[in-house]
Amino acid sequence: MNKCLIHVCCLPCLLGEIDKLRELNLNYSLFFSNSNIDTIFEFNKRKDELSKLNYPVIIDKYDHSDWLSSLDCL
């Protein structure tokens, strides 16, 4: 069985694709890494929505300042 790590930005985006992933018979893990989101409130709201799936999600720490500092265009 193929393995796949899938970045998830929010539950609505994932729901649009999850049936297709199941059809492909993939062994997948979900990865939530969204320091690009500008507020911790929005980050937590999206993260909490994912918990409704009852599926393990790897959650990266939120650090918007670090994310901003990594951009070359600012």
Side-chain angles (χ1 to χ4, degrees), residues 50-63:
L50 285 173
S51 68
K52 294 178 180 180
L53 283 180
N54 289 327
Y55 193 89
V57 180
I58 301 164
I59 299 174
D60 196 15
K61 69 179 178 82
Y62 178 79
D63 191 340

Side-chain angles (χ1 to χ4, degrees):
M1 179 179 281
N2 293 323
K3 295 181 181 180
C4 188
L5 180 65
I6 300 178
H7 178 265
V8 181
C9 66
C10 60
L11 185 59
C13 288
L14 176 63
L15 290 177
E17 300 300 324
I18 202 161
D19 289 337
K20 191 176 289 185
L21 293 170
R22 288 181 179 139
E23 288 174 12
L24 293 172
N25 198 29
L26 291 174
N27 178 7
Y28 60 92
S29 297
L30 304 178
F31 181 54
F32 183 79
S33 178
N34 291 302
S35 289
N36 59 307
I37 297 171
D38 67 349
T39 66
I40 189 70
F41 173 78
E42 181 65 23
F43 177 89
N44 286 330
K45 185 171 106 177
R46 293 179 187 208
K47 180 182 66 145
D48 293 344
E49 285 292 310
L50 285 173
S51 68
K52 294 178 180 180
L53 283 180
N54 289 327
Y55 193 89
V57 180
I58 301 164
I59 299 174
D60 196 15
K61 69 179 178 82
Y62 178 79
D63 191 340
H64 188 66
S65 297
D66 185 53
W67 182 82
L68 286 173
S69 69
S70 72
L71 300 177
D72 290 335
C73 60
L74 296 180

